[in-house]
Every structure is written in C-alpha cells, then in structure tokens.
Amino acid sequence: MNDCLFCKIIAGDIPSTKVYEDEKVYAFRDINPQAPTHVLVIPKKHVASVAAVDELDDADLAACLRACRLVAQSEGLTEKGFRVVSNCGDDACQSVKHLHFHVLGGRQMGEQMA
Ligand code: 5GP
Ligand code: ZN
C-alpha cells in the first residue's frame, strides 16, 4: 500500500533495523522501545490489523506467530519469557494501520495488560 509506513519499511524506502526476514514476514526493532527487547513482526502482505486477518492466507498468519517465536529465541527471551501484543483499532491505540505483533521482553512485565 502506497502510503503505509510499514510497507515502506518492507520495501526498504524507510530504514529499519532488521531482526528477521523470510518470504512472508519482516521483523525489525521498534523505534521507540518499551522494553529491553521490542521487535515488531509484520506480514509482508498489507492488512490493516487483526480485524482484517481474513484477508491473509493462513500460511501468512501462521508465519507471523512463528516469526515471533523465532525472534524471541534469537533475542534470548524464551527461558525467562516474553509478551506478544497486537493493538487493533482506536481503543487499543493502534497507530500504524499495518498488522504488527510487538515482541516485548528482557524485563519483568507488569501483571496488568491494559
Ligand atoms: P502501535 O501503536 O500501532 O501498536 O505500534 C506502532 C509501533 O510502531 C510503535 O511502537 C512505534 O514506536 C513504532 N514505529 C512508528 N514509526 C516507526 C518507524 O519509523 N520505525 C520503527 N522501527 N518503528 C516505528
Ligand atoms: Zn502496509
């Protein structure tokens, strides 16, 4: 999608720090990290959010969660734990309308999720 920030990152038009990539998924460090590890995992196909995942093939969707696991492992988070978050829509404060999964870890998370 032409005016989508994350599509521009996938295309390399906006620089990012790549953590993982395969044919379906791109993962990169969040520009404003909220934990010692804060990586964004996104499908290469543009869909707006979890509310629009019916537009994604099951393989693309599965690849996103698998990439979250791979990122957690490569970041050394699997032993102590990590959190995967996907904000969807205005009430959840989604600011970039391209589906993304935040992979957060490296410190004790709060018990409250919201
Ligand atoms: P949301 O608020 O939509 O759940 O998450 C969007 C995330 O994208 C935020 O955590 C924000 O810091 C991150 N972000 C916004 N613009 C950029 C950018 O240009 N580069 C990178 N790496 N992250 C960005
Ligand atoms: Zn996009």
Side-chain angles (χ1 to χ4, degrees), residues 4 7 46 98:
C4 171
C7 283
H46 179 93
H98 180 128

Side-chain angles (χ1 to χ4, degrees), residues 5-6 9 14-17 28-34 38 40 85-88 92-98 100 102:
L5 174 69
F6 286 176
I9 284 177
I14 293 174
S16 64
T17 304
F28 57 104
R29 297 200 187 281
D30 197 291
I31 204 168
N32 182 27
Q34 296 189 31
H38 187 169
L40 299 172
V85 175
S86 189
N87 295 320
C88 180
C93 302
Q94 182 184 7
S95 59
V96 180
K97 305 298 196 257
H98 180 128
H100 51 282
H102 299 258

Side-chain angles (χ1 to χ4, degrees), residues 43-57:
K44 287 187 173 177
K45 181 181 175 194
H46 179 93
V47 293
S49 72
V50 171
V53 290
D54 285 355
E55 298 167 25
L56 271 186
D57 291 340

